[in-house]
Amino acid sequence: MKSILINTTEESYPVIVGNEAINELPSLLRSLSPSKVLIVTDTNVDQLYGNMLVDKVDKEWMTYKYVIKSGEAAKSFDMFYELHSYALKQELDRKSVIIAFGGGVVGDLTGFVAATYMRGVPFIQVPTTLLAHDSAVGGKVAINHPEGKNMIGAFYQPKVVVYDSNFLQSLPTNELRSGFAEVIKHSLIRSESLYQFLYSEIRHLEDITTDKLQRMILEGIQIKADVVSKDEKELGLRAILNFGHTLGHAVEAEAGYGKLSHGDSIAIGMLFATWLSNKTLNVTLPYYELKSWFKAIGFPTEVPYSQTTDQLINKMKKDKKTKSNQLTMILLEEIGVTTSVLFSEDELYSLLD
Ligand code: NAD
Ligand code: ZN
């Protein structure tokens, strides 16, 4: 079992990682002495592990479970409202603890409910996807608005993150690949040694053994923790986490949510940002090496042919990180070292064409 500390201005909290980390949950809950516990999970996770988690909690505390339909659509105003209504009906109070048990969707929605219910109640993240090594750490919680993803949300830190890697055994391949993209991102922006490890040891998804998984989760979280601790509210450094996401988000949105996974979309975005780095920064990153590796893993490596430059630029401009008519792109000076570069719309047109 390993513990990584996330430092924030208010209080620090640990991310506990390991096989069987879930066994730590009762003692962590005890330290919060909750009046009641509400577990929020989704249909898939509930089917696999719902009873197991309830068993761990309901012997000591009055426990409720709310199951949302799996999928991005749950990050909605309707579901946000439903959860608040349910919490009120069960008379949860400010000493109640809410547990987010699932992937990034459950984590983002539940975290935002916890941030707002009675002006904030303690919550615990129990992530079950590889992608959630990213989403469960850092305190960004949100729901979607028809005008854009994650548009309504807060910065709200959990009391603890309990990351049991055993849950990942049941992840479908496409979800494993999606999370792997974020691990690759963390390596590209911050750790050449993690990149070399991933590149040499994981040529195909089947190469991901339990040990390798453990290492990538730990190092990925460590990188995220480090960035978040230095820039909790996304005022500066944290922007480097957007590497691959400017184009990635646009491609994802343009495909229609759920059509192209987040990881597949940012794989395309990371390739573009790498290519753009070579083209504009006078550096020689191994773009072709990266591209053939991505292909072998199963990532798409091109923008879907149906998406036009116009559509993508318009979507990128909508991104909440956009300033006036310029777009900030996170590029690489070398593997593990980022820089941020402003591009005008015209420049991007010529580069994307
Ligand atoms: P997800 O929560 O939808 O999970 C993916 C799928 O896997 C779902 O169908 C889910 O039911 C299933 N699943 C989850 N755990 C499983 C398990 N152990 N075994 C089998 N199936 C399982 O998606 P995700 O990829 O985890 O997260 C994506 C979301 O995270 C997006 O909404 C994105 O905006 C958000 N996100 C947030 C942050 C942040 O900082 N808050 C960062 C990155 C992504
Ligand atoms: Zn991402």
Side-chain angles (χ1 to χ4, degrees):
M1 214 72 63
K2 293 259 165 50
S3 178
I4 298 167
L5 198 66
I6 314 289
N7 293 307
T8 70
T9 39
E10 269 138 46
E11 52 188 308
S12 303
Y13 61 93
V15 182
I16 296 164
V17 186
N19 292 324
E20 313 291 341
I22 197 65
N23 292 333
E24 306 295 312
L25 187 66
S27 68
L28 294 162
L29 271 172
R30 244 167 257 140
S31 70
L32 296 170
S33 37
S35 55
K36 292 176 178 179
V37 176
L38 168 62
I39 297 168
V40 181
T41 188
D42 77 10
T43 38
N44 293 333
V45 179
D46 182 47
Q47 216 168 35
L48 291 160
Y49 310 110
N51 291 339
M52 179 277 294
L53 194 71
V54 169
D55 283 350
K56 288 210 181 302
V57 179
D58 74 349
K59 286 184 205 75
E60 284 181 65
W61 299 279
M62 177 65 109
T63 304
Y64 302 93
K65 182 178 73 175
Y66 192 97
V67 183
I68 62 172
K69 196 161 170 282
S70 74
E72 183 72 26
K75 279 171 63 174
S76 66
F77 274 109
D78 284 353
M79 199 46 77
F80 175 74
Y81 179 81
E82 287 283 316
L83 266 167
H84 274 288
S85 305
Y86 182 79
L88 286 166
K89 191 165 150 225
Q90 306 305 342
E91 298 182 342
L92 264 65
D93 59 24
R94 295 178 90 172
K95 283 290 285 174
S96 302
V97 172
I98 304 186
I99 299 178
F101 184 40
V105 165
V106 169
D108 278 12
L109 167 71
T110 309
F112 189 45
V113 169
T116 45
Y117 184 73
M118 298 195 166
R119 297 198 181 85
V121 295
F123 96 109
I124 296 179
Q125 289 266 22
V126 182
T128 61
T129 63
L130 180 57
L131 187 131
H133 88 278
D134 183 18
S135 61
V137 176
K140 285 217 268 180
V141 295
I143 56 172
N144 300 327
H145 187 279
E147 283 294 313
K149 210 167 126 81
N150 299 326
M151 285 293 160
I152 319 292
F155 286 97
Y156 193 67
Q157 307 291 346
K159 292 291 174 200
V160 56
V161 181
V162 183
Y163 201 138
D164 188 330
S165 41
N166 276 345
F167 292 135
L168 306 188
Q169 304 285 345
S170 54
L171 266 189
T173 309
N174 59 331
E175 299 300 344
L176 186 67
R177 188 173 69 236
S178 185
F180 189 51
E182 297 283 10
V183 181
I184 296 174
K185 178 197 79 178
H186 284 132
S187 77
L188 285 171
I189 60 172
R190 247 355 212 189
S191 171
E192 135 92 40
S193 69
L194 178 59
Y195 175 79
Q196 291 307 343
F197 163 72
L198 298 173
Y199 182 77
S200 59
E201 298 276 328
I202 300 163
R203 304 301 302 172
H204 304 277
L205 285 180
E206 299 75 52
D207 298 335
I208 303 182
T209 59
T210 319
D211 285 354
K212 292 179 193 171
L213 189 62
Q214 199 80 354
R215 174 166 173 192
M216 68 172 90
I217 290 169
L218 279 169
E219 291 194 30
I221 293 177
Q222 192 63 62
I223 291 166
K224 176 112 192 217
D226 184 45
V227 173
V228 166
S229 298
K230 291 189 174 120
D231 179 22
E232 190 187 335
K233 297 274 164 74
E234 207 168 36
L235 300 171
L237 180 70
R238 197 162 170 163
I240 73 171
L241 298 171
N242 290 327
F243 176 71
H245 280 60
T246 313
L247 181 65
H249 275 156
V251 169
E252 188 178 6
E254 206 48 53
Y257 289 116
K259 297 271 165 42
L260 207 55
S261 79
H262 181 67
D264 283 356
S265 312
I266 67 155
I268 296 170
M270 290 192 285
L271 278 177
F272 176 66
T274 306
W275 174 84
L276 197 58
S277 307
N278 281 342
K279 180 127 180 128
T280 58
L281 296 179
N282 199 20
V283 295
T284 50
L285 295 158
Y287 168 74
Y288 289 103
E289 202 179 279
L290 199 64
K291 189 166 178 175
S292 58
W293 181 40
F294 277 18
K295 265 203 181 118
I297 298 287
F299 288 122
T301 54
E302 312 275 349
V303 171
Y305 69 93
S306 57
Q307 304 188 354
T308 65
T309 307
D310 261 352
Q311 288 171 323
L312 291 173
I313 290 191
N314 280 331
K315 276 277 176 333
M316 288 199 271
K317 275 170 32 190
K318 265 198 168 172
D319 203 298
K320 56 186 178 296
K321 287 126 198 160
T322 310
K323 285 195 196 100
S324 63
N325 249 352
Q326 301 208 296
L327 271 172
T328 306
M329 298 283 297
I330 304 298
L331 301 185
L332 296 177
E333 285 179 349
E334 55 187 272
I335 290 175
V337 182
T338 53
T339 182
S340 134
V341 182
L342 272 177
F343 288 93
S344 71
E345 206 177 315
D346 288 349
E347 280 172 306
L348 273 182
Y349 265 104
S350 60
L351 287 162
L352 265 169
D353 260 345

